[in-house]
């Protein structure tokens, strides 16, 4: 197979592809949902919704940190590509085997065969999704962003479309939906297998064992990260009624947006950092990327917070508490961007033991503070706790990365971005909750972002 890394690569083009992939992945279920929810009754749709949660959590548990280990191994000077494919093969066998056994257990342990089949299909799909994610780690290393994006779209939008077609033509129930979803996921996994063929793990057994040792500490970390991203909604659901929870969730997109954009761009950043880790250029690349990541996070805060008034007027109407929350949430991007770079540096330096306790500890601390904030309708306070939690997470990982590098981690761009975010959110709190004022703040934000882009471009 030709290695695309040998040819000159446009990081900008790669970034655009990954952003498109994030959009496809995030919008897949949302595009299908309005149609599926009208075909299925509430109970059947509830099972499909729960299956989606099982799918995401199961994929995290099955893969742990192996996709990152694959990318890091790929750039090793000696037999890196073979090592990466062997780790990919081990992940494939492990994911498929565990998910198949678990699916059979789920099916036979649930008395209602219809419900059992629904959740068994969901569990089986987790193994196939893990195969896709593992293949994407190879594609990311090869800088084949377009193929990466195609798999993202097929695993999300494509699989959900299979479910929608099945319940439209065959039977309107959750088991039919998830069976068709499983078929769509199997086809996607087969394509990913072709795009990124694995090797038998025994071909590089030492590398495989090293990958598991490096990646397993990310299991508690990954679960804690999922809870940090979604836990605030769970707290509101627990302490308030479904109406209060619905109001809070309406503004959640203003946090999910920065998460999605930065996670997509991290596919480019991770590959560059891991490649540099096998030479003496890791710190240089980290400094370059820190400036880039901080500027992007700052732009997301500015645009997200300034667009909150218009966005919430469209989505929810004039709800002052929810609007204030929407103005705060985009600031999560500052800490999250710092965390992404610092985490990649630690993984590149094979310093992953801290992942076992750092993220769960920050989660517990944020949860304790959030217990009080979630009991009030001043939703922005809980949003501020979330922003602070990700800021703390980024700071702690930056300190650990500095220790691993034995050099000062390039955190100054993030400090400036965080200070600017506080000013931006504070000023947007003063903006009246009217359409005209919201439009003016958007125009101002776009002007500032445009001027900033031109200034940075001239300096570069």
């Amino acid at each position: 197979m030709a290695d695309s890394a040998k040819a000159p690569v446009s990081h900008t083009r790669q970034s655009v592809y990954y952003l498109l992939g994030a959009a496809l992945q995030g919008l897949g279920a949302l595009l299908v949902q309005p149609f599926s929810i009208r075909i299925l009754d509430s109970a059947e749709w509830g099972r499909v919704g729960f299956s989606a949660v099982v799918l995401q959590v199961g994929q995290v548990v099955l893969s742990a940190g192996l996709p990152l280990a694959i990318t890091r191994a790929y750039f090793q000077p000696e037999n890196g590509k073979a090592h990466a494919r062997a780790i990919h093969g081990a992940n494939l066998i492990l994911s498929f085997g565990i998910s198949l056994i678990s699916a059979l257990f789920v099916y036979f342990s649930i008395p209602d065969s219809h419900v059992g089949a629904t959740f068994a299909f969901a569990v089986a799909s987790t193994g196939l999704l893990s195969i896709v994610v593992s293949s994407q780690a190879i594609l990311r290393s090869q800088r084949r962003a377009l193929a990466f994006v195609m798999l993202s779209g097929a695993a999300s939008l494509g699989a959900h479309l299979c479910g929608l077609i099945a319940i439209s033509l065959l039977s309107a129930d959750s088991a039919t939906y998830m069976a068709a979803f499983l078929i769509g996921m199997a086809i996607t996994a087969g394509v990913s297998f072709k795009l990124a063929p694995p090797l038998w793990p025994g071909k590089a057994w030492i590398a495989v064992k090293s990958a598991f040792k490096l990646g397993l500490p990310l299991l508690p970390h990954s679960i804690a990260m999922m809870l940090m991203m979604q836990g605030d909604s769970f707290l509101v659901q627990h302490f308030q009624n479904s109406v209060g929870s619905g109001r809070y969730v309406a503004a959640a997109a203003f946090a999910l947006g920065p998460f999605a954009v930065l996670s997509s761009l991290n596919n480019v950043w991770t590959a560059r950092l891991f490649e540099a880790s096998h030479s003496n250029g890791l710190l240089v690349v980290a400094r370059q990327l820190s400036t880039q990541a901080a500027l992007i996070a700052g732009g997301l805060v500015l645009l997200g917070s300034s667009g909150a008034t218009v966005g919430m007027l469209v989505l929810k109407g004039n709800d002052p508490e929810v609007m204030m929350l929407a103005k705060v949430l985009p600031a999560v991007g500052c800490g999250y961007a710092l965390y992404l770079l610092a985490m990649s540096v630690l993984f590149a330096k094979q310093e992953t033991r801290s992942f076992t306790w750092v993220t769960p500890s920050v989660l517990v601390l944020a949860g304790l503070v959030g217990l009080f904030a979630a009991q009030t309708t001043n939703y922005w306070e809980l949003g501020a706790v979330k922003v602070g939690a990700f800021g703390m997470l980024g700071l702690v990982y930056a300190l650990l990365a500095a220790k691993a590098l034995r050099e000062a981690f390039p955190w100054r761009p993030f400090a400036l971005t965080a200070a600017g975010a506080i000013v931006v959110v504070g000023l947007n709190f003063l903006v009246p909750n009217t359409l005209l004022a919201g439009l003016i703040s958007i125009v101002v934000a776009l002007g500032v972002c445009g001027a900033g882009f031109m200034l940075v471009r001239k300096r570069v």
Side-chain angles (χ1 to χ4, degrees), residues 167-221:
I167 60 175
S168 301
L169 300 179
L170 300 176
S171 176
D173 60 75
S174 58
T176 301
Y177 187 102
M178 291 310 301
F181 183 95
L182 177 64
I183 293 171
M185 194 65 73
I187 295 171
T188 305
V191 173
S192 75
F193 188 92
K194 180 68 175 177
L195 290 171
L199 282 179
W200 182 253
K203 298 279 187 180
W205 187 242
I206 294 177
V208 171
K209 289 195 295 184
S210 177
F212 275 92
K213 183 179 179 181
L214 190 63
L216 283 179
L218 268 71
L219 179 55
H221 157 82

Side-chain angles (χ1 to χ4, degrees), residues 212-265:
F212 275 92
K213 183 179 179 181
L214 190 63
L216 283 179
L218 268 71
L219 179 55
H221 157 82
S222 299
I223 295 173
M225 279 299 296
M226 292 182 66
L227 290 174
M228 284 188 66
M229 291 181 173
Q230 304 291 342
D232 49 337
S233 300
F234 296 152
L235 287 175
V236 174
Q237 176 68 44
H238 177 74
F239 286 109
Q240 302 186 34
N241 55 28
S242 57
V243 174
S245 177
R247 292 175 67 200
Y248 189 90
V249 171
F254 288 85
L256 295 177
F259 287 146
V261 170
L262 292 169
S263 295
S264 301
L265 297 176

Side-chain angles (χ1 to χ4, degrees), residues 130-442:
S130 296
I131 293 171
V132 173
V133 171
S134 184
S135 300
Q136 286 179 309
I138 297 287
L139 298 174
R140 174 175 59 199
S141 305
Q142 296 173 336
R143 297 187 173 92
R144 296 165 64 191
L146 189 56
F148 185 107
V149 169
M150 290 171 62
L151 289 181
S152 294
S156 179
L157 180 59
H160 281 290
L161 277 175
C162 288
L164 175 60
I165 292 170
I167 60 175
S168 301
L169 300 179
L170 300 176
S171 176
D173 60 75
S174 58
T176 301
Y177 187 102
M178 291 310 301
F181 183 95
L182 177 64
I183 293 171
M185 194 65 73
I187 295 171
T188 305
V191 173
S192 75
F193 188 92
K194 180 68 175 177
L195 290 171
L199 282 179
W200 182 253
K203 298 279 187 180
W205 187 242
I206 294 177
V208 171
K209 289 195 295 184
S210 177
F212 275 92
K213 183 179 179 181
L214 190 63
L216 283 179
L218 268 71
L219 179 55
H221 157 82
S222 299
I223 295 173
M225 279 299 296
M226 292 182 66
L227 290 174
M228 284 188 66
M229 291 181 173
Q230 304 291 342
D232 49 337
S233 300
F234 296 152
L235 287 175
V236 174
Q237 176 68 44
H238 177 74
F239 286 109
Q240 302 186 34
N241 55 28
S242 57
V243 174
S245 177
R247 292 175 67 200
Y248 189 90
V249 171
F254 288 85
L256 295 177
F259 287 146
V261 170
L262 292 169
S263 295
S264 301
L265 297 176
N266 193 48
N267 286 298
V268 176
W269 301 337
T270 298
R272 292 182 63 186
L273 287 167
F274 285 3
E275 184 175 20
S277 70
H278 296 293
S279 64
N280 295 322
L282 180 58
L283 183 59
V284 174
V285 174
R287 285 173 176 163
Q288 293 172 348
L289 293 180
S290 67
T291 301
Q292 182 183 127
L295 287 172
I296 292 171
L300 290 172
V301 175
L302 180 58
L303 293 174
S305 185
S306 300
T309 299
V310 172
M312 293 314 302
L313 282 172
V314 173
L315 294 173
K316 192 72 174 62
N318 192 353
D319 190 332
E321 289 88 359
V322 176
M323 280 189 183
M324 292 178 72
L325 170 65
K327 293 174 182 179
V328 169
L329 285 179
V332 297
C334 299
Y336 188 62
L338 178 58
Y339 148 76
L340 287 174
L341 288 185
M343 184 267 287
S344 294
V345 167
L346 285 169
F347 206 99
K349 298 293 289 185
Q350 301 187 69
E351 299 285 348
T352 60
R353 292 184 180 179
S354 58
F355 288 77
T356 307
W357 59 270
V358 170
T359 311
S361 298
V362 174
L363 170 66
V364 171
L365 182 60
L368 290 174
V369 178
L371 286 175
F372 299 97
Q375 299 181 52
T376 173
T377 55
N378 292 325
Y379 296 126
W380 73 267
E381 295 178 6
L382 185 56
V385 171
K386 185 170 187 170
V387 170
F390 276 95
M392 180 186 299
L393 188 73
L395 180 59
V396 173
Y397 277 113
L399 293 172
L400 292 170
K403 183 179 178 181
L405 286 169
R406 298 180 181 177
E407 296 276 357
F409 188 82
W411 55 269
R412 289 184 180 178
F414 295 98
L416 293 173
T417 299
I422 294 173
V423 173
V424 167
V425 172
L427 289 175
N428 279 310
F429 267 19
L430 303 176
V431 174
N433 296 331
T434 63
L435 183 61
L436 177 61
L439 290 173
I440 291 173
S441 67
I442 290 175

